[in-house]
Amino acid sequence: MKRSLLLLPLLVLLIGLGSCKKCRKEDPISRIVNNGTESASVQIQTSGGNTVNINNILPGQTSEDKSFAEGLVTFTISIGNNNPKVLDVPMEQCWEYEIVIDANNNVTSVPMDRNE
């Protein structure tokens, strides 16, 4: 009985630590941040084969969040009249991904763990 009473606080602590996670097996989220010089449009090919389009993201604007199933997601980004840029991003559950167009119209992916 005494042993059970000693283990009870430890069990409560472990359960408490496990419940601190903000995300529990949720699909990844992505948004487009246009810090570039021209309007951008993005075609997103999800891992499930679906296509999502986000059009006319003006310089200085950020798109709304989009959620996808985890896996490899392909972003085809058209900036102004330039040739489209393709970015393949392996997306994981409980992560956010900002697809950032910088001041020189270069494109990068910035991942963020939603549990931190």
Side-chain angles (χ1 to χ4, degrees), residues 6-21:
L6 291 174
L7 290 177
L8 183 61
L10 181 59
L11 181 62
V12 170
L13 179 64
L14 289 175
I15 291 171
L17 289 175
S19 66
C20 289
K21 285 190 167 189

Side-chain angles (χ1 to χ4, degrees), residues 50-62:
N50 297 324
T51 300
V52 176
N53 292 307
I54 304 173
N55 296 314
N56 299 319
I57 307 162
L58 298 174
Q61 289 187 338
T62 299

Side-chain angles (χ1 to χ4, degrees), residues 3 9 20 31 35 43 53 61 67 72 100:
R3 189 173 281 161
C20 289
R31 70 179 141 267
N35 294 323
Q43 181 183 63
N53 292 307
Q61 289 187 338
S67 180
L72 188 64
V100 179

Side-chain angles (χ1 to χ4, degrees), residues 5-113:
L5 289 175
L6 291 174
L7 290 177
L8 183 61
L10 181 59
L11 181 62
V12 170
L13 179 64
L14 289 175
I15 291 171
L17 289 175
S19 66
C20 289
K21 285 190 167 189
K22 300 173 190 172
C23 178
R24 295 186 183 276
K25 296 186 179 184
E26 296 171 20
D27 284 340
I29 295 172
S30 184
R31 70 179 141 267
I32 313 301
V33 178
N34 187 356
N35 294 323
T37 60
E38 299 183 60
S39 177
S41 293
V42 181
Q43 181 183 63
I44 305 162
Q45 183 74 36
T46 70
S47 60
N50 297 324
T51 300
V52 176
N53 292 307
I54 304 173
N55 296 314
N56 299 319
I57 307 162
L58 298 174
Q61 289 187 338
T62 299
S63 73
E64 63 185 47
D65 290 347
K66 298 288 184 181
S67 180
F68 313 103
E70 69 177 322
L72 188 64
V73 176
T74 301
F75 294 84
T76 303
I77 301 122
S78 298
I79 303 168
N81 293 324
N82 299 316
N83 290 331
K85 300 178 183 201
V86 177
L87 184 64
D88 290 321
V89 180
M91 295 185 146
E92 297 179 32
Q93 289 179 334
C94 293
W95 281 76
E96 285 182 20
Y97 299 84
E98 283 190 347
I99 307 304
V100 179
I101 303 167
D102 70 15
N104 296 316
N105 293 330
N106 296 314
V107 180
T108 58
S109 171
V110 180
M112 293 168 278
D113 187 346

